Amino acid sequence: MTTSVVQLKRAKILEEGFAGEYWLEVAGLRTELSKRDCGRVSDILEMFRIITFSIDHLKEDGTPVDEKLAFQLEFRGFDHNDALESHMATYVEYQMQDDRWSELKPQVERNDRGNSHARMLDTYMRMLAEYRRIMDSRKRGFDRFDYLLTLDELQQIADARVHPSNRPQR
């Protein structure tokens, strides 16, 4: 069968709703990355975008961010040996094909092209929770600098990387 005949047959299966034949449509496809997980990836990338812009702005403003803190706040990608995180890494790669998230591309390249070699999702979710707490506590502004983070806020997000049970007692 030619490719066009196969495509027409597959289209017919979907158009006619032949549920018993759907397996033909998905054979060889990866399990889907849920809408929720795609949203998580986008939220994580957006957080790192704001972190990156904030660090750059502080540097330009004469308040350079310590190298250690900047390193802690770098997007390292996802663990390619974990099924979910590997799928998320593939989604990041897809998202970055165009000029989307271009400011994060150097970080991905520095970190083994987005392979963190360790699970990162839980860490990113703790950082994201802290980032959201910070952003939710602000008044909404319209200036392009209103979304930037202060040095103290960057430190709070970096501190959130560590699981609460492993944080030093104060």
Side-chain angles (χ1 to χ4, degrees):
M1 260 190 256
T2 65
T3 304
S4 59
V5 172
V6 172
Q7 289 173 337
L8 287 172
K9 186 175 180 179
R10 293 176 126 191
K12 182 80 170 169
I13 290 169
L14 294 175
E15 288 170 0
E16 297 296 333
F18 299 146
E21 302 297 318
Y22 285 172
W23 67 271
L24 289 170
E25 297 303 311
V26 297
L29 297 179
R30 274 178 104 168
T31 306
E32 74 176 20
L33 186 62
S34 70
K35 185 175 180 179
R36 178 180 178 200
D37 286 333
C38 288
R40 284 179 175 170
V41 170
S42 294
D43 290 348
I44 290 165
L45 293 175
E46 182 64 24
M47 173 187 66
F48 279 106
R49 168 183 275 163
I50 299 301
I51 288 170
T52 300
F53 287 156
S54 299
I55 290 171
D56 291 346
H57 180 72
L58 287 167
K59 187 189 315 179
E60 290 170 10
D61 218 27
T63 311
V65 174
D66 173 78
E67 278 185 43
K68 181 181 177 189
L69 178 59
F71 179 74
Q72 291 172 334
L73 292 169
E74 191 162 281
F75 178 63
R76 289 184 176 74
F78 290 99
D79 187 359
H80 290 196
N81 290 319
D82 178 82
L84 174 59
E85 289 200 20
S86 174
H87 210 164
M88 289 177 155
T90 303
Y91 187 58
V92 168
E93 189 177 310
Y94 169 78
Q95 289 286 331
M96 290 186 170
Q97 282 178 348
D98 301 323
D99 283 337
R100 274 181 102 176
W101 314 107
S102 59
E103 65 284 340
L104 298 178
K105 287 180 181 180
Q107 295 175 36
V108 169
E109 286 303 312
R110 276 194 300 274
N111 288 286
D112 198 11
R113 294 181 315 281
N115 187 356
S116 62
H117 298 284
R119 289 188 190 152
M120 296 302 297
L121 184 57
D122 288 345
T123 300
Y124 292 157
M125 294 308 291
R126 285 192 300 275
M127 293 171 74
L128 188 59
E130 184 63 19
Y131 168 77
R132 286 176 173 158
R133 190 191 64 71
I134 290 166
M135 296 310 260
D136 288 347
S137 71
R138 296 179 172 187
K139 292 181 182 175
R140 298 259 183 225
F142 298 101
D143 189 89
R144 64 187 180 114
F145 297 111
D146 289 342
Y147 62 88
L148 295 177
L149 300 160
T150 66
L151 190 57
D152 286 339
E153 291 168 335
L154 290 170
Q155 186 62 59
Q156 290 171 4
I157 294 169
D159 291 346
R161 292 170 49 249
V162 178
H163 192 276
S165 65
N166 294 325
R167 293 180 192 158
Q169 299 298 320
R170 295 181 186 191

Coordinates of all heavy atoms in Angstrom, one line a residue, residues 130-164:
E130 N 7.5 28.2 45.4 CA 8.0 29.4 46.0 C 7.9 30.6 45.0 O 7.6 31.7 45.5 CB 9.5 29.2 46.4 CG 10.1 30.3 47.2 CD 9.4 30.6 48.5 OE1 8.7 29.8 49.0 OE2 9.6 31.8 49.0
Y131 N 8.2 30.4 43.8 CA 8.1 31.4 42.8 C 6.7 32.0 42.7 O 6.4 33.2 42.7 CB 8.5 30.9 41.4 CG 8.2 31.8 40.2 CD1 9.0 32.9 39.9 CD2 7.1 31.5 39.4 CE1 8.7 33.7 38.9 CE2 6.8 32.3 38.3 CZ 7.6 33.4 38.1 OH 7.3 34.2 37.0
R132 N 5.7 31.1 42.7 CA 4.3 31.5 42.6 C 3.9 32.2 43.9 O 3.1 33.2 43.8 CB 3.4 30.3 42.5 CG 3.4 29.7 41.1 CD 2.6 28.5 41.0 NE 2.5 28.0 39.6 CZ 2.2 26.8 39.2 NH1 2.0 25.8 40.2 NH2 2.2 26.4 38.0
R133 N 4.4 31.8 45.1 CA 4.1 32.5 46.3 C 4.6 33.9 46.2 O 3.9 34.9 46.6 CB 4.7 31.7 47.5 CG 4.3 32.3 48.9 CD 5.1 31.7 50.0 NE 6.5 32.1 49.9 CZ 6.9 33.4 50.2 NH1 6.1 34.3 50.5 NH2 8.2 33.7 50.2
I134 N 5.8 34.1 45.7 CA 6.4 35.4 45.6 C 5.6 36.3 44.6 O 5.2 37.4 45.0 CB 7.9 35.3 45.1 CG1 8.7 34.7 46.2 CG2 8.4 36.7 44.7 CD1 10.1 34.3 45.8
M135 N 5.3 35.7 43.5 CA 4.5 36.5 42.5 C 3.1 36.8 42.9 O 2.6 37.9 42.7 CB 4.5 35.7 41.1 CG 5.9 35.6 40.5 SD 6.9 37.1 40.5 CE 6.7 37.5 38.8
D136 N 2.5 35.9 43.6 CA 1.1 36.1 44.1 C 1.0 37.2 45.2 O 0.0 37.8 45.4 CB 0.5 34.8 44.6 CG 0.1 33.8 43.5 OD1 0.2 34.2 42.3 OD2 -0.1 32.6 43.8
S137 N 2.1 37.4 45.9 CA 2.1 38.4 46.9 C 2.3 39.8 46.4 O 2.2 40.8 47.2 CB 3.3 38.1 48.0 OG 4.5 38.3 47.4
R138 N 2.6 40.0 45.1 CA 2.8 41.3 44.5 C 1.5 41.8 44.0 O 0.6 41.1 43.6 CB 3.8 41.1 43.4 CG 5.1 40.7 43.8 CD 6.0 40.6 42.6 NE 7.4 40.4 42.9 CZ 8.4 40.4 42.0 NH1 8.1 40.6 40.8 NH2 9.6 40.2 42.4
K139 N 1.5 43.2 43.8 CA 0.5 43.8 43.1 C 0.8 43.7 41.6 O 1.9 43.6 41.2 CB 0.5 45.3 43.5 CG 0.0 45.6 44.9 CD 0.0 47.1 45.1 CE -0.4 47.4 46.5 NZ -0.3 48.8 46.8
R140 N -0.2 43.6 40.9 CA -0.1 43.4 39.4 C 0.4 44.8 38.9 O -0.1 45.8 39.2 CB -1.4 43.1 38.7 CG -1.9 41.7 39.2 CD -1.6 40.7 38.1 NE -2.2 39.4 38.6 CZ -1.6 38.3 38.5 NH1 -0.4 38.3 38.0 NH2 -2.1 37.2 38.9
G141 N 1.4 44.7 38.0 CA 2.0 45.9 37.4 C 1.9 45.8 35.9 O 1.7 44.7 35.4
F142 N 2.2 46.9 35.3 CA 2.2 46.9 33.8 C 3.6 47.2 33.2 O 3.7 47.2 32.0 CB 1.2 47.9 33.4 CG -0.2 47.6 33.8 CD1 -0.8 48.3 34.9 CD2 -0.9 46.6 33.2 CE1 -2.1 47.9 35.3 CE2 -2.2 46.3 33.6 CZ -2.8 46.9 34.6
D143 N 4.5 47.6 34.1 CA 5.9 47.8 33.6 C 6.6 46.5 33.3 O 6.4 45.5 34.0 CB 6.6 48.6 34.7 CG 7.9 49.1 34.2 OD1 8.0 50.3 33.7 OD2 8.9 48.4 34.4
R144 N 7.5 46.5 32.3 CA 8.1 45.3 32.0 C 9.1 44.8 33.1 O 9.5 43.6 33.1 CB 8.9 45.4 30.6 CG 10.0 46.4 30.7 CD 10.6 46.6 29.3 NE 11.6 47.6 29.3 CZ 12.9 47.3 29.0 NH1 13.2 46.0 28.7 NH2 13.8 48.2 29.0
F145 N 9.4 45.6 34.0 CA 10.3 45.2 35.1 C 9.5 44.7 36.3 O 10.1 44.2 37.3 CB 11.2 46.4 35.5 CG 12.1 46.9 34.4 CD1 11.9 48.1 33.8 CD2 13.2 46.1 34.0 CE1 12.8 48.5 32.8 CE2 14.0 46.5 33.0 CZ 13.8 47.7 32.4
D146 N 8.2 44.8 36.3 CA 7.4 44.4 37.4 C 7.5 42.9 37.7 O 7.1 42.5 38.8 CB 5.9 44.8 37.2 CG 5.7 46.3 37.4 OD1 6.6 47.0 37.9 OD2 4.7 46.8 36.9
Y147 N 7.8 42.1 36.8 CA 7.9 40.7 37.0 C 9.3 40.2 37.4 O 9.4 39.0 37.7 CB 7.5 39.9 35.7 CG 8.4 40.2 34.5 CD1 9.5 39.4 34.3 CD2 8.1 41.2 33.6 CE1 10.4 39.7 33.2 CE2 9.0 41.5 32.6 CZ 10.1 40.7 32.4 OH 11.0 40.9 31.3
L148 N 10.2 41.1 37.4 CA 11.6 40.7 37.8 C 11.7 40.4 39.3 O 11.0 41.0 40.1 CB 12.6 41.7 37.4 CG 12.7 42.0 35.9 CD1 13.7 43.1 35.6 CD2 13.1 40.7 35.2
L149 N 12.6 39.5 39.6 CA 12.8 39.1 41.0 C 14.0 39.8 41.6 O 15.0 40.1 41.0 CB 13.1 37.6 41.1 CG 12.0 36.7 40.5 CD1 12.5 35.3 40.1 CD2 10.8 36.6 41.5
T150 N 13.9 40.1 42.9 CA 15.0 40.7 43.7 C 16.0 39.6 44.0 O 15.7 38.4 43.9 CB 14.5 41.4 45.0 OG1 14.0 40.3 45.8 CG2 13.4 42.4 44.7
L151 N 17.2 40.0 44.5 CA 18.2 39.1 45.0 C 17.7 38.2 46.1 O 17.9 37.0 46.1 CB 19.4 39.9 45.4 CG 20.7 39.1 45.7 CD1 21.1 38.3 44.4 CD2 21.8 40.0 46.1
D152 N 16.9 38.8 47.0 CA 16.4 38.0 48.1 C 15.4 37.0 47.6 O 15.3 35.9 48.1 CB 15.7 38.9 49.2 CG 16.7 39.7 50.0 OD1 17.9 39.3 50.1 OD2 16.3 40.7 50.6
E153 N 14.5 37.4 46.7 CA 13.6 36.5 46.1 C 14.2 35.3 45.3 O 13.8 34.2 45.4 CB 12.6 37.2 45.2 CG 11.7 38.2 46.0 CD 10.9 39.1 45.1 OE1 11.4 39.4 44.0 OE2 9.8 39.6 45.5
L154 N 15.3 35.7 44.6 CA 16.1 34.6 43.9 C 16.6 33.6 44.9 O 16.6 32.4 44.7 CB 17.2 35.2 43.1 CG 16.8 36.0 41.9 CD1 17.9 36.8 41.3 CD2 16.1 35.1 40.8
Q155 N 17.1 34.1 46.1 CA 17.7 33.2 47.1 C 16.6 32.4 47.7 O 16.8 31.2 47.9 CB 18.3 34.1 48.2 CG 19.0 33.2 49.3 CD 20.2 32.4 48.7 OE1 21.1 33.0 48.1 NE2 20.1 31.1 48.8
Q156 N 15.4 32.9 47.9 CA 14.2 32.1 48.4 C 13.9 31.0 47.4 O 13.7 29.8 47.9 CB 13.0 33.0 48.6 CG 13.1 34.0 49.7 CD 11.9 35.0 49.7 OE1 11.0 34.9 48.9 NE2 12.0 35.9 50.6
I157 N 13.9 31.2 46.2 CA 13.6 30.2 45.2 C 14.8 29.1 45.2 O 14.5 27.9 45.1 CB 13.4 30.8 43.8 CG1 12.2 31.7 43.8 CG2 13.4 29.7 42.7 CD1 12.0 32.5 42.5
A158 N 16.0 29.6 45.3 CA 17.1 28.7 45.3 C 17.0 27.8 46.6 O 17.3 26.6 46.5 CB 18.4 29.4 45.3
D159 N 16.7 28.4 47.7 CA 16.5 27.6 49.0 C 15.4 26.6 48.9 O 15.5 25.5 49.5 CB 16.2 28.6 50.1 CG 17.4 29.5 50.5 OD1 18.5 29.2 50.0 OD2 17.1 30.5 51.2
A160 N 14.4 26.8 48.1 CA 13.3 25.9 47.9 C 13.7 24.6 47.2 O 13.0 23.6 47.2 CB 12.1 26.6 47.2
R161 N 14.9 24.7 46.5 CA 15.4 23.5 45.8 C 15.5 22.3 46.8 O 15.3 21.1 46.4 CB 16.7 23.8 45.2 CG 16.7 24.7 44.1 CD 18.1 25.2 43.6 NE 19.0 24.1 43.4 CZ 20.1 23.8 44.2 NH1 20.4 24.6 45.2 NH2 20.8 22.8 43.9
V162 N 15.9 22.6 48.0 CA 16.2 21.6 49.0 C 14.9 21.1 49.7 O 14.1 22.0 50.1 CB 17.2 22.1 50.1 CG1 17.4 21.0 51.2 CG2 18.4 22.5 49.4
H163 N 14.6 19.8 49.7 CA 13.4 19.3 50.4 C 13.3 19.8 51.8 O 14.4 19.8 52.5 CB 13.4 17.8 50.3 CG 12.1 17.2 50.7 ND1 11.7 17.0 52.0 CD2 11.1 16.8 49.9 CE1 10.5 16.5 52.0 NE2 10.1 16.3 50.8
P164 N 12.2 20.2 52.3 CA 12.1 20.7 53.7 C 12.7 19.8 54.7 O 13.2 20.3 55.7 CB 10.5 20.9 53.9 CG 10.0 21.0 52.5 CD 10.9 20.2 51.6

